Amino acid sequence: LSVTALPGGAQCGGRGVYTMDAATLTYDTLRFGDFEDFPETKEPVWILGTKYSAITDKDDIFADVTSRLWFTYRKNFSPIGGTGPTSDNGWGCMLRCGQMILAQALICRHLGRDWRWENGKQQRDEYYNVLNAFLDKKDSYYSIHQIAQMGVGEGKSIGQWYGPNTAAQVLKKLTFFDNWSSLAVHVAMDNTVIIDNIKMLCRPNSACEAAAAA
């Protein structure tokens, strides 16, 4: 799954502070000191393209990891489709993995790879906008509701387990409705990445043309 920011993306007009009731959206308790087997290796540690030393950069590693968004099984959300499941326990693992991949792309898109989450610090509006896109609500761009319902068009009933390709194809379709982020998603098939196809997606209006043809 390759996610590309398109040029000329629209900016979010809304500003202000959002109250988040989804406590599982970010790591806020993980400390490397809790894990006795965290290796102090001399080999470099790579996290999403950034190189660290496990010996001298532990605080930086911790800051990086705690800045990633974590989505996992949830319960007691509104029924998907009005009458469907209220929990994704047992079937939503790949959907949540897809959400995390896309969330990282949105963080890089709107906040940059070097952005770090800090406990007790007021975050930028863009951070809350990204979180809102993944809330377990039917009107959030990349909610479990949207993914599950869009998957029906891929031959998956609501509450059915997804494979990686299905999850990627559904997220690709959902990005067409996200004008704020202006993303294009390329799904590599048969373990083959075709550079020209990705370059085509990076051109202005190419995502809109692809959506019209879908």
Side-chain angles (χ1 to χ4, degrees), residues 32-202:
F32 288 118
D34 295 337
F35 299 91
E36 295 180 358
D37 60 347
F38 185 74
E40 291 192 354
T41 175
K42 293 183 179 179
E43 296 295 321
V45 175
W46 290 91
I47 301 177
L48 298 172
T50 300
K51 182 180 178 181
Y52 297 102
S53 166
I55 299 174
T56 62
D57 297 331
K58 279 192 175 182
D59 287 343
D60 292 333
I61 293 173
F62 169 70
D64 198 335
V65 171
T66 55
S67 299
R68 302 311 117 216
L69 299 184
W70 176 44
F71 304 117
T72 187
Y73 294 134
R74 300 294 302 282
K75 62 181 180 180
N76 298 328
F77 48 69
S78 61
I80 298 176
T83 59
T86 59
S87 172
D88 62 315
N89 186 27
W91 60 271
C93 53
M94 191 58 66
L95 284 70
R96 298 300 188 182
C97 288
Q99 284 182 321
M100 285 188 281
I101 292 173
L102 191 58
Q104 174 59 23
L106 294 182
I107 289 292
C108 288
R109 170 78 168 106
H110 297 293
L111 296 168
R113 177 63 181 89
D114 294 332
W115 171 85
R116 295 293 181 264
W117 179 85
E118 296 181 40
N119 189 23
K121 180 181 178 180
Q122 176 62 48
Q123 304 298 328
R124 290 166 50 184
D125 289 348
E126 291 89 345
Y127 175 72
Y128 297 106
N129 290 337
V130 171
L131 293 187
N132 275 325
F134 295 92
L135 290 181
D136 293 334
K137 298 179 179 180
K138 64 179 181 179
D139 56 350
S140 293
Y141 286 131
Y142 307 112
S143 66
I144 195 79
H145 299 67
Q146 294 283 4
I147 298 174
Q149 292 184 291
M150 186 66 77
V152 174
E154 297 290 326
K156 297 290 186 179
S157 59
I158 295 175
Q160 186 176 358
W161 182 85
Y162 284 18
N165 181 64
T166 301
Q169 296 291 352
V170 167
L171 290 172
K172 177 179 180 178
K173 291 181 178 180
L174 289 176
T175 57
F176 295 143
F177 304 100
D178 183 0
N179 293 325
W180 174 56
S181 298
S182 189
L183 294 178
V185 173
H186 173 70
V187 182
M189 304 298 294
D190 300 321
N191 298 319
T192 302
V193 176
I194 302 175
I195 301 300
D196 287 344
N197 289 352
I198 296 176
K199 289 180 178 180
M200 284 291 295
L201 288 176
C202 294

